[in-house]
Amino acid sequence: MRGLITYGLMAVLSLGSVGVGAEPRKDLADAIVGGDSIPARYQIDSIEEARALLQADSYPSDPKVRRMQISDAVREFSEVDGYAILVDKQLDQTPLDDKTVFLLQVYKNGLLFRSYVADVGSPGDKEIRGDRKTPEGLFSSFSFSSGRYGDAILINYPNREDAKRGIEDNLITPAEAARIDHAISNGGISPQDTDLGGYIEIHNGGTGSVFHTTGCVALRDNDQTELLGILGPIYDSGVDVKVGVIQ
């Protein structure tokens, strides 16, 4: 894959697959959170609002609003960029065997295009290196080659919200926060070496066992191969595929 970014450090993340197919477009506020208690004004329904959320240094404190806005942003980015990814850390039932799983969903032009069973890290949002949690939020991503898993997708964690939290919790210095902001502002990879953690990938090696990884998102091998086959040409063309991770 042209333009793969190679690191000598190993990343840890695992996923697994559910099935394929296209669905009619849904209002993600309804499809994902029930849409029964969130005012319509909180919905993101334009690419400008989606980009503003991506660039934000804070997200809504209400978890339902946060979940809805990240999901809406993924849909909007997929309409402009062609594809976007949503990793859902709420347990769902597969249509095949009623197994309870986490899902990685690929959206294409605003529609659900593929859905895969995903393994993620321990429950909760990532806070610090080594906590084995999968970060939540809205991120850029890059094609990536890790030492252990081969071709993968690097989720560009930490983002600005994470940097702000890191300053407040005395996990990183203002200089490190400035490095994170500079990298994101220039379309580069956020520093992976701070105490916030890093090297969060979407890679192969998934088992479908839900809490399986040390913070990454893991797909079963065949599903990861399919995902890279779909998104590889997009990364090669220079398009940044956005990744939303919700709880």
Side-chain angles (χ1 to χ4, degrees):
M1 188 184 301
R2 181 173 60 81
L4 279 175
I5 301 168
T6 306
Y7 291 94
L9 296 181
M10 178 183 73
V12 274
L13 190 139
S14 25
L15 296 178
S17 145
V18 167
V20 298
E23 293 184 358
R25 176 169 177 164
K26 298 177 180 178
D27 183 331
L28 288 181
D30 291 335
I32 292 180
V33 295
D36 55 350
S37 60
I38 302 176
R41 67 177 180 274
Y42 291 124
Q43 295 184 26
I44 289 180
D45 54 14
S46 73
I47 190 61
E48 290 77 20
E49 291 177 321
R51 287 173 176 152
L53 184 64
L54 182 70
Q55 297 298 321
D57 64 1
S58 63
Y59 282 71
S61 57
D62 186 314
K64 280 193 172 184
V65 174
R66 179 186 178 104
R67 179 175 169 85
M68 179 190 70
Q69 288 192 344
I70 292 172
S71 304
D72 282 349
V74 164
R75 182 200 66 211
E76 293 296 334
F77 278 118
S78 76
E79 291 187 337
V80 172
D81 297 336
Y83 291 90
I85 295 171
L86 185 68
V87 179
D88 191 344
K89 293 166 57 179
Q90 282 196 9
L91 291 172
D92 202 355
Q93 301 292 117
T94 72
L96 301 179
D97 55 12
D98 268 351
K99 183 179 180 182
T100 302
V101 295
F102 297 130
L103 297 177
L104 180 147
Q105 298 174 318
V106 180
Y107 283 82
K108 178 181 181 182
N109 301 325
L111 300 175
L112 179 60
F113 180 66
R114 292 287 190 273
S115 194
Y116 303 107
V117 172
D119 302 350
V120 299
S122 300
D125 191 6
K126 187 166 188 64
E127 298 176 278
I128 190 169
R129 182 178 299 279
D131 64 8
R132 304 179 67 91
K133 297 176 182 179
T134 303
E136 298 164 15
L138 188 61
F139 306 92
S140 297
S141 68
F142 298 86
S143 59
F144 177 82
S145 183
S146 67
R148 179 173 180 180
Y149 292 102
D151 291 351
I153 294 169
L154 180 71
I155 297 175
N156 202 22
Y157 168 89
N159 61 19
R160 287 190 176 94
E161 183 197 28
D162 301 309
K164 179 182 178 182
R165 172 181 54 80
I167 288 287
E168 292 171 348
D169 294 344
N170 294 315
L171 294 173
I172 62 173
T173 66
E176 288 174 316
R179 286 172 56 210
I180 292 170
D181 180 75
H182 182 267
I184 293 172
S185 296
N186 289 277
I189 295 175
S190 188
Q192 302 292 290
D193 58 354
T194 75
D195 284 344
L196 293 172
Y199 297 104
I200 304 297
E201 299 178 20
I202 299 171
H203 62 60
N204 61 11
T207 66
S209 61
V210 187
F211 296 120
H212 170 73
T213 78
T214 57
C216 293
V217 179
L219 297 178
R220 295 170 183 158
D221 293 352
N222 289 343
D223 296 328
Q224 176 71 357
T225 298
E226 180 177 273
L227 180 65
L228 292 175
I230 294 168
L231 297 181
I234 309 302
Y235 286 112
D236 288 347
S237 69
V239 172
D240 168 16
V241 178
K242 308 304 186 298
V243 179
V245 184
I246 56 176
Q247 170 63 55

